[in-house]
Amino acid sequence: MDLYQKAALAVESLEKEYPDAVCSLKYTDAFQLLIATRLAAQCTDLRVNMVTPALFEKYPDIPSMAAADVADVEDIIKSCGLYKTKARDIVSCAVMLRDEFDGKVPDEISQLIKLPGIGRKTANLVVGDIYGKSAVVVDTHCIRITRRLGFHNLKDPTRIEMLLREYLPPIKSNDFCHRLVLHGRAVCTARSPKCDKCCMNGFCSKLI
């Protein structure tokens, strides 16, 4: 079985197992998704979703966040971890969006990664979920599961993204990555994967 066939099987299997491919972060627009994803670095989505309501109530958009006191943002997001760096990045990001991007979140990865604290994972999530473009969100679940499936033996997220772009159908790739997160939490966990319950155990290299 080549990797194109394996990718097609993986996409089909996960579609059946997880019909609803949705981001677990709560947001109402591109800016809020951008900020929530930045907060999610080394933090659970559950924790982020507990913090963002207060943050977005006080700073709901780019102009208000750009004018925010970094110390106040630190206070609100403290439980997310790395809060000093994240607060600085969030406010700086809003300032840059206001001053250099006409107050709009860009729809191109090459532009998004110019923003403070925004890497390719966040950029892919925004262009995929907000703008409906082909995206490959390489998080820890994606890295772990695609390695076990036999797509790669890599650690660098950018290299993994480019490799998966080769094999995944562009129209399916963004939802596929959302489903990997759901599968990674429920079945293909880091320490004790439930291989006997996995919808992909018929073609997973971990079992071959």
Side-chain angles (χ1 to χ4, degrees):
M1 179 187 300
D2 66 27
L3 291 181
Y4 292 99
Q5 292 171 310
K6 183 171 282 194
L9 281 173
V11 167
E12 182 183 5
S13 299
L14 290 174
E15 281 180 343
K16 289 178 180 176
E17 193 75 7
Y18 308 97
D20 300 320
V22 294
C23 177
S24 54
L25 292 169
K26 295 178 181 176
Y27 63 92
T28 59
D29 57 30
F31 177 66
Q32 289 192 1
L33 177 59
L34 190 72
I35 299 309
T37 310
R38 177 66 187 97
L39 289 174
Q42 298 183 46
C43 179
T44 65
D45 290 356
L46 182 63
R47 168 59 57 183
V48 172
N49 287 338
M50 293 169 66
V51 167
T52 49
L55 180 67
F56 294 148
E57 182 178 4
K58 192 164 188 180
Y59 306 110
D61 51 28
I62 291 169
S64 58
M65 189 70 79
D69 179 359
V70 173
D72 186 47
V73 175
E74 286 178 1
D75 239 18
I76 298 171
I77 69 168
K78 203 165 190 175
S79 64
C80 283
L82 303 174
Y83 66 94
K84 287 185 177 294
T85 301
K86 290 178 180 179
R88 183 191 66 221
D89 284 348
I90 287 169
V91 175
S92 297
C93 181
V95 170
M96 191 170 179
L97 287 169
R98 181 193 65 192
D99 297 347
E100 299 183 33
F101 290 96
D102 298 321
K104 297 176 183 176
V105 176
D107 62 354
E108 297 289 343
I109 290 174
S110 59
Q111 297 297 308
L112 284 162
I113 59 175
K114 293 178 181 178
L115 298 168
I118 303 303
R120 294 192 66 87
K121 182 179 81 170
T122 300
N124 269 281
L125 187 61
V126 170
V127 301
D129 275 29
I130 298 296
Y131 298 112
K133 295 187 174 185
S134 174
V136 177
V137 181
V138 180
D139 64 358
T140 55
H141 297 292
C142 177
I143 293 170
R144 179 177 70 255
I145 297 172
T146 54
R147 181 188 293 125
R148 286 175 176 171
L149 284 169
F151 282 98
H152 62 83
N153 192 25
L154 303 169
K155 293 181 179 178
D156 179 62
T158 302
R159 290 180 65 194
I160 294 169
E161 178 196 332
M162 298 309 165
L163 181 144
L164 292 176
R165 283 184 180 276
E166 170 70 22
Y167 297 110
L168 292 169
I171 197 170
K172 303 272 191 177
S173 60
N174 189 52
D175 285 349
F176 176 76
C177 292
H178 281 318
R179 292 183 172 107
L180 287 180
V181 174
L182 299 173
H183 193 63
R185 289 173 179 164
V187 179
C188 195
T189 54
R191 294 185 180 180
S192 303
K194 304 174 182 70
C195 297
D196 58 319
K197 297 180 179 179
C198 181
C199 60
M200 298 185 287
N201 61 20
F203 53 89
C204 179
S205 294
K206 192 173 187 295
L207 298 176
I208 296 172

